[in-house]
Amino acid sequence: MEERRIQKKHKTGSVLYIILCFLFLYLPILVTMIFSFNSSKSLTRFQGFSLTWYERLFTDNEIMGAVYVSISIALLATVISTILGTITAIGLSKSRKIIKEIIINVNNIPIMNPDIVTAIGLMILFSSLKIEKGYLTMLLAHVCFCTPYVITSVYPKVRNLDPALANAAMDLGATPFQALTKVILPMIKEGIFAGVLLAFTMSFDDFVVSYFITGNGVKNISIVVYNMTRRTNPTINALSTIVIVVIMITLVVVNIVPVLTKKRSKKNLELEKEGIFISKNERLKKYTGIISGIILIVVIVLTSYAGNKETLKIFNAGEYIDPDLITEFEKEYNCRIIYETFDSNESMYTKIMSGETYDIIVPSDYMIERLIKENRLAEIDWSRLSNRDNLNKNIMGMNFDSENKYSVPYFYGTVGILYDKTVVKEDDLKDGWNLLKNTRYKNNIYMYDSERDAFMIALKALGYSMNTDKKEEIDAAYNWLIEQRVTMNPVDVGDDVIDNMIAGNKALAVVYSGDAAYIMAENQNLEFFNPDEGTNEWFDCMVIMNSSEKMILAHKFIDFMLDVEHATANSSFVGYTSPVEGAYQNMLETDYKGISSYTPVMGNKNNEIFRYQTAETKGYFADLWTKIKAH
Amino acid sequence: MKHYTKLVRPYLIWSLLIIVIPLLMIVIYSVTTGGNTLVNIQFTLDSFKKFAEPVYLQVFLKSLQMGLITVGFCFFIGYFLAYTICKFSEHAQNYMILLVTIPMWINTLLRTYAWIGILSDNGILNTILEKLGFSSISFMYTDFAVTLGMVSDFLPFMVIPIYTSLSKIDDSLIEAAHDLGANNIQTFFKVTFKLSIPGVVSGIITTFLLSVSTFVIPKLLGGGQYMLIGNLIESQFISVGNWNFGSAISVILAVVILVAITIMRKIDPEKTEDE
């Protein structure tokens, strides 16, 4: 009696612990599911039930494209790696010891290596072989890391087989192929099934490898989610919820069906006893039916993917275009736009250096200067741009391309400090950039995660030129940044600064004037200022790469973006200042009425534009930046 | 008998091309200079020397530290969970293990993304804290957030292998230990734990591998200034464009993990007998 009570007490403790653990594991999943039904954009406050995000999901081309890529790659990679893995495992058991050991050890490499190492290895391989990155490279990479899992789950089953079985079948007149399909495969099907499941999930969930080896706008779900985390987008919650539900149903089915089939096979046995014989052939037919069905789907999916419309490849910063404009352009000119995004000029440049080509890219001033010097850009034929007169003449002819031979303005602005009027004292603003070192605001600062902007702030705060190549000045700026890091504990952010500042999470943030406009329109407590010590005047422009073979279409796209109506839509969506005069005026009267930062303050004589750096200076900065980040 | 040996050949060639050669290329990049092409390369150990600078060593140590902390938490929470699950009926066990597995099937990024909503300054956790009368705490962009994200993501990888080992233990062994006079604690350490070591080893290897090399979780939950070795590699390949240095760090990471695996394998009695 006593013992029983103890055991019962024991059991409540156990149940409690298990519940706590499951709560911990399922909390993020539950939150995702709940907020997918939220009527507002917030990820933290539930404001009522709605299905808006589900509707948006099915009309969002980017997400639906990613779903398609994830599923088709996972299916293809699973089929290929299962076949490859299974025949290898069968052959392996009969091979000489040395071959067996080589294969088993090589096979362990992708399993035991960190994803990131596998990923960069493949990335280097594909770039050195000049294989164009995209769907095919992603598929090859997925087969690369899926096959080892199939082999490890099938091989033990093969090893446990009685070798006499295949021999017996062949003695009885079966060909080796028949012995394989009729004797060996049915006996190892559990291992194969486990392999299929593993391969499919590994492929479907992969982020790291896909992220490094993708190109040409081919994105799977993980990559889209990664790009989206920078700005809240609850459609992704809707997608997660669907994925979660589908997976749960599948797993439950997979776990319950074997129980049912067991029951059925018992029934069959009884039927057989009664003299009713169910032909084995029928079962075989069913399997081949399923397999050929899968292959058929895959083929259909593949062919539908390869369209024959003219394509235009565009490379732009993340969250830097109104996506509706892309769809509209595609419709108007009956073409397909392959749209890829980068998170900094440097990562854009690295991608181009690794062999990627695009028709149109949208880099900033200093990067344009560099691309011109390296002969990578084609001249703009201004006569083809019917909307050229819409451009604001004051922001043309800047030093990086003084005659606008290669570049057409896209957005422009400055960098400054966004501050919370309710927290920051007006008096402290006199400190200029050194406000970012005022310990009153310790732990209360977002810095922009960009090498050149961070150094610009430090150099300007110290009274130097932001284009300096003097080591002493750069070192002083480095020390300024390190000191700021130690005393202020700032957080480096990218586009996530937008959501964070709208939510009012911190008092100070270094932002681009355009982001400031977008944020201030959503949060009235904020104000923006450009320190007197000067700042970075920047110009992002559309340029055409000289490798492009789509000159006419590329010019059409640029012209399309200069149209007042389109530029207005774009500026409204992104929040940045439009170089198209009409769009700028429209915005001043509508979305950004009364918002100071929409009109960049350009007059300060201390302001500069970033210049192209020599390789030596660039390397020096890059090294120090890595050190700052690692500090 | 020999009919099937030829079946190995496709994979032999395939794995050479897509597993071995890429690894060799990483090694070549790590000991050379000359940018992103293999033309005009020069042999040098500069990349490794660079890694020996205190800043990078610090990143490396920080990664190891975060990895070990994550493995530690996963081990204690996970072992106890697996052990507790084993106490239930076989039927209940199957369902519970299924529940442990499901999160593994759901995208890591999606789960990490959800943690941002929970932990952010105006997030769910802080809203609850405020309602309870506490002042809000900044969870995001701290070691705590990164550790929490990693433990929650990697816990199933610890629970499953340990559970597999534990569920294989014959109950009569434990009864025998009790009959021979061992108390609960003695039985646990001398019988149960010893027999579960293969699962523990496999769980520790997997969680360590995942937590040392991740760059997504630190980036999302730790912010842009949070740098672990995975982020360092990513930045060298994606933004800085120094593939040589990036390759050198990858080589070091791979070697460290290989050493860790070898050490862990030594502890595992089953595996050594097997080989």
Side-chain angles (χ1 to χ4, degrees), chain B residues 153-184:
Chain B
D153 268 5
F154 304 147
L155 187 60
F157 293 96
M158 184 67 91
V159 178
I160 302 293
I162 294 179
Y163 168 78
T164 314
S165 285
L166 283 174
S167 63
K168 276 189 200 152
I169 298 174
D170 193 342
D171 280 343
S172 56
L173 283 174
I174 290 158
E175 277 162 32
H178 280 300
D179 289 346
L180 292 170
N183 63 26
N184 279 341

Side-chain angles (χ1 to χ4, degrees), chain A residues 26 103 201 211 503 505 629, chain B residues 8 11 77 99 105 122 224 234:
Chain A
Y26 281 85
I103 291 193
T201 23
Y211 173 66
N505 285 344
K629 299 266 285 177
Chain B
V8 184
Y11 191 66
I77 300 172
L99 279 177
W105 293 69
N122 291 315
E234 191 232 345

Side-chain angles (χ1 to χ4, degrees), chain A residues 10 14 17 26 94 103 107 112 120 128 176 201 205 211 222 226 347 485 492 503 505 623 627 629, chain B residues 1 4 8 11 25 29 50 53 77 84 87 99 105 107 110 113 122 209 219 224-225 234 238 250:
Chain A
H10 219 81
S14 306
Y17 181 71
Y26 281 85
K94 308 281 196 295
I103 291 193
N107 196 41
M112 288 305 174
I120 60 160
S128 330
T201 23
D205 281 355
Y211 173 66
S222 302
Y226 185 69
S347 60
R485 201 149 282 249
D492 283 6
N505 285 344
D623 251 16
K627 279 186 189 167
K629 299 266 285 177
Chain B
M1 252 335 275
Y4 299 129
V8 184
Y11 191 66
M25 293 183 91
Y29 266 96
K50 193 170 174 184
E53 284 176 35
I77 300 172
T84 319
K87 284 196 212 153
L99 279 177
W105 293 69
N107 204 305
L110 293 176
Y113 183 53
N122 291 315
L209 181 83
K219 196 161 185 176
Q225 82 295 344
E234 191 232 345
I238 301 291
S250 309

Side-chain angles (χ1 to χ4, degrees), chain A residues 510-528:
Chain A
V510 174
V511 291
Y512 291 113
S513 52
D515 285 335
Y518 185 91
I519 298 167
M520 284 158 69
E522 305 271 330
N523 183 340
Q524 315 297 330
N525 287 338
L526 303 175
E527 193 48 70
F528 179 78

Side-chain angles (χ1 to χ4, degrees), chain A residues 25-26 80 140-141 197 293 295 308 318 337 428 506 525 552 570 575 629:
Chain A
L25 283 175
Y26 281 85
I80 298 172
L140 287 175
L197 280 184
I295 292 171
N308 48 4
I337 291 185
D428 289 339
K506 292 205 191 297
N525 287 338
I552 296 172
N570 205 24
K629 299 266 285 177

Side-chain angles (χ1 to χ4, degrees), chain B residues 70-86:
Chain B
T70 308
V71 169
F73 276 111
C74 284
F75 172 69
F76 286 111
I77 300 172
Y79 196 97
F80 197 50
L81 181 61
Y83 185 77
T84 319
I85 288 176
C86 278

